[in-house]
Amino acid sequence: MNAGIIGIGRYLPEKVLTNFDLEKMMDTSDEWIRTRTGIEERRIASDDMNTSDMGYLAALKAIEHAGISAQDIDLILVATVTPDRPFPSVACMLQERLGAAKAAALDISAACAGFIYGMVTAKQFIETGAYKYILVVGVEKLSKILNWQDRNTAVLFGDGAGAVVMGPVSEGRGILSFELGADGTGGKHLYQDEYVIMNGREVFKFAVRQMGESCINVLEKAGLTKKDVDFLIPHQANIRIVEAARQRLELPEDKMSTTIRKYGNTSAASIPISIVEEYEAGKIKDDDLIIMVGFGGGLTWGAVALRWGR
Ligand SMILES: CC(C)(COP(=O)(O)OP(=O)(O)OC[C@H]1O[C@@H](n2cnc3c(N)ncnc32)[C@H](O)[C@@H]1OP(=O)(O)O)[C@@H](O)C(=O)NCCC(=O)NCCS
């Protein structure tokens, strides 16, 4: 049994915070942010919209798109580092609001690699036949853990949610191979105390190296080569980091998602948000080979090679 994506959905808060808005809040400039990160604007959730609210709205769309009902869901996995509270998990909150009465539910904490960790976890249950339909959500309200006085971090991140329903798909489709990894010795470079603390240069070096390597590794594991790749969906951390991954795969510019321009780094949400963006733009079609790759605090990383379609 192959496990693949059978439904997708996302939610982005309406409020747009541009680089020019940030210029008025701290000592930064649109020029600096655009040239160093690629970000032009990001979305910020309102005070009455928490992580679970955004996750719920994205999940509703994914379930509808999959053509199943919430009662069919066997497991809910929510990748987030900004849960509403330590417990109950966001996954349990979604279980109640969706009415997914039979679903088991848990949150996954793997920072910006969390959505890949979630998809790979879902794959195991589906391929063994233990579960049929699994909702995997990546959602963050990073704005609540940012120090808005710290230009090193505040300009980088945004809020949002993306969700997929995973289930059995036809032969040859779905997740063909994966890689997950962690290096706890690098945890000191990116963590939350009260706010997000980051050593940007160290994370940058790690990310450039790891993203490229993970892409190549999942291709090799699937018995494929760079030439087979149709589209790359990297975690949207910095345009220069994702460009390095694209060049490693020797892909043309239009074969990679760059939603970072509009949404900034939405951590665990960035890959599923990008999936919806690219699918709706007609960039992802049945039987396309998609590489998704992420990295983040932990340090963590993960990648999948996925053949699109049910
Ligand atoms: C953060 C990052 C954009 C910084 O870019 P960079 O080109 O490495 O910039 P540097 O670290 O060399 O900093 C250059 C200068 O810009 C300053 N600077 C930092 N943020 C700034 C901002 N928002 N506006 C203006 N100047 C800023 C720094 O203080 C530094 O000044 P100094 O040289 O006087 O100390 C980059 O390192 C990065 O993207 N790292 C990875 C971060 C990441 O992906 N995090 C999420 C992981 S999931």
Side-chain angles (χ1 to χ4, degrees), residues 27-28 32 36-37 112 151-152 155 190 198 200-201 203-204 235 237-238 240-241 265 295-296:
D27 180 16
T28 190
W32 192 96
R36 301 295 177 109
T37 73
C112 306
R151 67 178 185 175
N152 291 298
V155 304
L190 180 55
M198 186 181 73
R201 276 188 202 171
V203 176
F204 191 96
H235 165 52
N238 180 313
R240 293 180 291 148
I241 295 174
N265 177 349
F295 69 93

Side-chain angles (χ1 to χ4, degrees), residues 2 13 20 65 80 94 106 112 121 132 202 205 211-212 229 264 271 297:
N2 296 347
F20 298 104
H65 186 234
T80 187
L94 296 193
L106 78 149
C112 306
T121 305
K132 190 168 183 193
E202 285 300 324
K205 280 190 280 178
M211 291 257 257
V229 179
I271 291 176

Side-chain angles (χ1 to χ4, degrees), residues 22-23 25-29 32-33 36-37 39 42 146-157 196 198:
L22 286 168
E23 284 182 355
M25 296 162 64
M26 61 190 76
D27 180 16
T28 190
S29 67
W32 192 96
I33 301 170
R36 301 295 177 109
T37 73
I39 301 167
R42 71 286 292 141
L146 292 176
N147 176 356
W148 288 98
Q149 318 295 324
D150 178 14
R151 67 178 185 175
N152 291 298
T153 52
V155 304
L156 301 176
F157 298 97
V196 174
M198 186 181 73

